Amino acid sequence: TRRITYVEVTPRGATREPVTATVARRQVAGADAFWSEQSAGQLRIGAPTIAAHFTSAYTCSGNDLLRLWSQAADRTGYDGRANATLVIKLPFATYRTCGYGYGQIGMSTSSGGVLHVSDTATPVLTHELGHNMSYGHANSLVCSGRSDDTERSGEWSTCREEGYGDALDVMG
């Protein structure tokens, strides 16, 4: 079971958007339901430990985002151990500068990791947790005039990969 530390952070210059413990727990429970179902109960997401809100000294610009993550880890005592994730909830209005969600890509399903989300919707947290557990994006192969099911000698040259293209996969 993955341990979750959940902290609401307001980047420097942004307006706070309070998140209740109930909303945070509901978002994490939704991610748990998804990963549990997908893994036949092998991947579980535990109820979050809710840390106190703080306003960061950093924005989301350039290297500031990593500094914001480090500041959040220091404030919450997050140490990056296996099967643990630090979830940083940013105000929704910051999605243009911080991104809708962003997560470290782990080496295995038990890797620790840090991620941030700017929404309390379950799919964004589920997706970013997937990155912590080593999953990349579910892209699709788009080929003119045929399906992408098989490679026939030399035909890949007419194809291109479309990022996030598999709309049926949470990692798409």
Side-chain angles (χ1 to χ4, degrees):
T1 299
R2 180 169 289 272
R3 294 172 303 281
I4 300 293
T5 302
Y6 195 107
V7 62
E8 174 202 335
V9 178
T10 304
R12 186 182 78 229
T15 301
R16 182 178 182 195
E17 180 185 280
V19 177
T20 67
T22 300
V23 169
R25 286 185 185 102
R26 187 178 310 129
Q27 185 181 29
V28 172
D32 174 52
F34 176 85
W35 285 113
S36 179
E37 190 273 329
Q38 292 297 305
S39 67
Q42 297 300 304
L43 296 174
R44 299 301 311 263
I45 313 298
T49 299
I50 310 292
H53 163 267
F54 71 93
T55 298
S56 178
Y58 303 103
T59 66
C60 294
S61 303
N63 291 330
D64 264 9
L65 180 59
L66 294 179
R67 290 182 183 111
L68 184 148
W69 281 15
S70 292
Q71 185 183 33
D74 290 345
R75 289 270 188 122
T76 62
Y78 176 77
D79 62 6
R81 65 192 133 146
N83 284 313
T85 292
L86 174 60
V87 175
I88 301 168
K89 170 56 179 86
L90 303 175
F92 184 75
T94 65
Y95 80 90
R96 287 185 179 94
T97 54
C98 303
Y100 188 62
Y102 191 78
Q104 290 177 313
I105 298 180
M107 298 299 291
S108 73
T109 55
S110 62
S111 294
V114 177
L115 64 85
H116 77 255
V117 294
S118 61
D119 197 351
T120 56
T122 295
V124 66
L125 178 60
T126 304
H127 175 96
E128 300 310 334
L129 280 168
H131 287 314
N132 283 181
M133 296 186 292
S134 77
Y135 297 106
H137 288 143
N139 298 339
S140 65
L141 194 59
V142 179
C143 305
S144 59
R146 67 176 190 84
S147 71
D148 63 358
D149 60 353
T150 61
E151 176 186 3
R152 295 184 210 131
S153 72
E155 287 190 30
W156 286 116
S157 62
T158 63
C159 302
R160 65 178 170 75
E161 189 172 346
E162 183 175 321
Y164 296 94
D166 186 348
L168 300 178
D169 190 307
V170 74
M171 298 309 294

